[in-house]
């Protein structure tokens, strides 16, 4: 990864930029800028051919002053300690911004899960879960899905933890399958939250969602669900891409059909009635809303000057570099930052965790209603801060989140 786009350096820059607009105690800043705990594990997995492969994984807990640390687990070949640190830090701000009683953490394994058989994936997930069980706990650190993991992986993690500790511990992980204590609506929560954020941003910018065009980069859980909810909102999703390529249709892509096509073929490419398009063209496309929903570092100083979207709704974590942010801000592009825009996932994770402790489960419409309330409230809080201070939306969101963590730290004090 080039040094310029190192996600951890990005996260620190965003933090420092926000802090420079705040009046915080120097010691408090030093404390909340630091990462509390980092675990690196290297472990063996028996492959189907009988051979042994070694894998490296991480679990990083950035800060826990507001509550147990919370954050997903990523299975992707490019996972590094620095990426995991950045993602953990972003989780701290995201939870604080949404007023969830959580700190921030993240985990990951450097592996391409698409190259594993289902049995290899199961053995890898279980062994990784057992390796991080020394710091994972329903009261102190609660994983969830992220890029490359899904409800099945969460089921294995919950089962592994439960066998090692005795009993069954549904609250140790969120994003589980519904029959195992997963929440209704968790699978689609991030995409639904992206849609609420984009809808509110359009309202603020005087754009009618029914007239709006949308481009989505990435078609994993977040990208596909965001596309689906934007489509259901009545907007025209004109371009979509995944790791294999992109597609375009100026009349709007049939998203339910595309989801079915991607499920069947493994990619969005070659969807009937669409033209191929490159990732670069998709990012630079003239549209109302651009939803980057893939990996970090996609919108950079190089391509930011070419972006024609009026609104960027960040489904991914860290898709925009600090250099790109400056360019977008000066060009008047309205950015709904990741820690707000994609927070629907961890919000419903919180609902799932609460349900797990209570062994009492909510209906899908209750989950969706509470998610909408939480997202709209947080969007308005960031918007207020943006208008009051003149800061861009990301920095405004950071100042709110960091202020809450700082306040809690000062109340708790230092042990001993
Ligand atoms: N991985 C998701 C995120 O980046 C969800 C985390 C969670 O639900 O704990 O927000």
């Amino acid at each position: 990864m080039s040094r310029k786009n190192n996600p951890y350096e990005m996260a620190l820059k965003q933090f420092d930029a926000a802090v420079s607009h705040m009046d915080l105690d120097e010691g408090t800043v030093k404390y909340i800028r630091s990462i509390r705990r980092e675990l690196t594990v290297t472990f063996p997995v028996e492959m189907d051919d009988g051979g042994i492969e070694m894998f490296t994984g991480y679990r990083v807990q950035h800060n826990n002053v507001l509550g147990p640390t919370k954050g997903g687990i990523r299975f992707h070949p490019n996972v590094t300690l620095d990426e995991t640190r950045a993602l953990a830090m972003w989780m701290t701000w995201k939870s604080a911004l949404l007023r969830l009683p959580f700190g921030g953490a993240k985990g990951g394994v450097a592996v391409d899960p698409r190259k594993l058989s289902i049995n290899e994936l199961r053995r890898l997930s279980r062994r990784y879960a057992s390796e991080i069980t020394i710091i994972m706990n329903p009261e102190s650190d609660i994983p969830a899905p992220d890029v490359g993991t899904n409800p099945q992986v969460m089921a294995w993690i919950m089962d592994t933890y439960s066998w090692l500790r005795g009993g069954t511990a549904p609250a140790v992980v969120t994003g589980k399958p519904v029959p195992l204590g997963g929440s209704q609506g968790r699978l689609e929560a991030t995409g639904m939250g992206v849609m609420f954020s984009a809808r509110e941003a359009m309202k603020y910018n005087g754009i009618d969602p029914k007239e709006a065009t949308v481009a989505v980069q990435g078609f994993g859980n977040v990208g596909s669900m965001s596309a689906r909810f934007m489509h259901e909102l009545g907007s025209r999703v004109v371009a979509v891409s995944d790791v294999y390529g992109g597609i375009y249709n100026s009349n709007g892509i049939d998203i339910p059909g595309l989801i079915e096509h991607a499920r069947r073929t493994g990619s969005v490419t070659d969807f009937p009635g669409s033209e191929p398009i490159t990732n670069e063209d998709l990012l630079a496309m003239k549209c109302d809303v651009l939803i980057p929903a893939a990996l970090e570092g996609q919108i950079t100083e190089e391509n930011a000057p070419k972006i024609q979207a009026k609104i960027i709704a960040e489904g991914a974590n860290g898709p925009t570099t600090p250099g790109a942010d400056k360019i977008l801000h000066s060009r008047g592009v309205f950015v709904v930052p990741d820690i707000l825009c994609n927070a629907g996932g961890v919000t419903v994770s919180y609902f799932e965790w609460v349900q797990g402790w209570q062994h009492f489960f909510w209906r899908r419409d209750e989950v969706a209603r509470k998610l909408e309330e939480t997202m709209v409230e947080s969007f308005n809080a960031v918007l207020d801060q943006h208008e009051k201070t003149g800061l861009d939306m990301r920095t405004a969101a950071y100042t709110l989140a960091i202020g809450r963590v700082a306040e809690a730290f000062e109340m708790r004090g230092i042990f001993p």
Side-chain angles (χ1 to χ4, degrees):
M1 198 172 291
S2 79
R3 209 178 145 68
K4 204 163 70 179
N5 290 344
N6 177 317
Y8 184 44
E9 285 174 16
M10 267 175 61
L12 290 174
K13 258 193 202 155
Q14 294 165 337
F15 174 84
D16 293 339
V19 165
S20 75
H21 298 282
M22 302 172 75
D23 184 22
L24 290 177
D25 173 77
E26 213 179 298
T28 300
V29 172
K30 244 193 265 178
Y31 173 72
I32 59 181
R33 195 180 190 272
S34 314
I35 290 178
R36 172 163 188 253
R37 200 185 247 175
E38 308 180 335
L39 176 66
T40 300
V41 293
T42 301
F43 57 90
V45 176
E46 193 181 327
M47 307 307 277
D48 288 348
D49 65 5
I52 288 173
E53 287 291 339
M54 297 303 296
F55 293 91
T56 298
Y58 310 97
R59 184 73 185 167
V60 173
Q61 300 172 348
H62 167 242
N63 185 290
N64 69 346
V65 298
L66 281 172
T69 53
K70 185 88 193 76
I73 287 171
R74 177 173 294 197
F75 288 172
H76 190 279
N78 297 347
V79 164
T80 60
L81 181 57
D82 267 358
E83 183 193 58
T84 314
R85 286 169 165 160
L87 291 162
M89 208 176 204
W90 288 328
M91 286 309 303
T92 301
W93 315 138
K94 199 185 294 187
S95 296
L97 185 63
L98 274 284
R99 293 197 183 279
L100 310 176
F102 288 136
K106 204 77 171 201
V109 178
V111 60
D112 187 347
R114 290 170 308 176
K115 295 204 175 122
L116 301 181
S117 72
I118 185 81
N119 285 324
E120 290 167 341
L121 182 65
R122 175 172 48 77
R123 289 194 288 269
L124 178 132
S125 303
R126 283 186 174 283
R127 180 59 188 247
Y128 168 73
S130 77
E131 295 281 347
I132 66 164
T133 285
I134 51 172
I135 61 168
M136 167 172 69
N137 184 305
E139 284 176 334
S140 65
D141 186 19
I142 307 119
D146 196 76
V147 175
T149 58
N150 58 27
Q152 176 61 74
V153 173
M154 299 306 117
W156 289 324
I157 292 175
M158 188 275 269
D159 187 72
T160 302
Y161 177 90
S162 296
W163 279 109
L164 291 172
R165 288 293 162 90
T168 290
V172 74
V173 65
T174 59
K176 298 177 296 293
V178 173
L180 295 183
S183 180
Q184 295 287 349
R186 174 61 185 87
L187 197 64
E188 54 269 47
T190 311
M192 191 182 274
V194 169
M195 177 275 284
F196 291 139
S197 302
R199 186 191 70 191
E200 296 306 301
M202 285 192 268
K203 208 187 282 176
Y204 179 69
N205 286 280
I207 299 168
D208 177 359
K210 300 226 178 322
E211 303 289 319
T213 53
V214 181
V216 183
Q217 183 202 35
F219 211 66
N221 174 281
V222 178
S224 63
M225 292 297 167
S226 301
R228 183 187 129 192
F229 289 111
M230 293 309 289
H231 179 80
E232 286 176 13
L233 186 67
S235 301
R236 203 156 23 109
V237 182
V238 291
V240 169
S241 70
D242 63 20
V243 277
Y244 305 102
I247 59 166
Y248 173 75
N249 181 340
S250 60
N251 296 321
I253 298 165
D254 161 29
I255 297 296
L258 180 63
I259 289 175
E260 180 50 30
H261 170 85
R263 199 188 53 76
R264 217 165 7 89
T265 67
S267 170
V268 299
T269 54
D270 299 323
F271 183 56
S274 69
E275 295 163 36
I277 180 179
T278 65
N279 187 49
E280 230 176 282
D281 288 344
L282 180 139
L283 292 177
M285 169 166 296
K286 194 163 166 33
C287 61
D288 294 296
V289 183
L290 171 64
I291 303 178
L295 294 171
E296 55 277 357
Q298 298 299 302
I299 302 175
T300 62
E301 270 164 78
E302 283 76 53
N303 62 15
K306 297 187 208 131
I307 285 188
Q308 298 183 72
K310 297 188 184 110
I311 293 168
I312 297 180
E314 296 185 336
N317 289 311
T320 309
T321 67
D325 257 332
K326 283 206 186 96
I327 299 170
L328 296 173
H329 186 57
S330 72
R331 297 185 50 231
V333 181
F334 187 86
V335 176
V336 191
D338 50 3
I339 60 168
L340 170 64
C341 190
N342 71 32
V346 69
T347 299
V348 177
S349 275
Y350 166 56
F351 300 159
E352 179 171 329
W353 184 68
V354 168
Q355 294 171 74
W357 280 112
Q358 296 185 333
H359 303 280
F360 180 77
F361 293 91
W362 309 351
R363 289 194 320 265
R364 178 178 297 265
D365 59 323
E366 285 177 81
V367 171
R369 184 172 47 77
K370 289 197 168 86
L371 172 62
E372 180 168 12
E373 258 169 39
T374 312
M375 291 297 303
V376 173
E377 232 168 67
S378 303
F379 183 93
N380 288 332
V382 175
L383 199 59
D384 264 8
Q385 180 80 342
H386 160 73
E387 292 198 318
K388 223 165 42 205
T389 59
L391 297 171
D392 62 82
M393 286 287 280
R394 186 183 322 280
T395 313
Y398 266 66
T399 56
L400 289 181
I402 293 169
R404 288 173 193 163
V405 177
E407 181 191 31
F409 168 63
E410 287 166 7
M411 285 174 177
R412 282 181 70 158
I414 298 176
F415 173 85

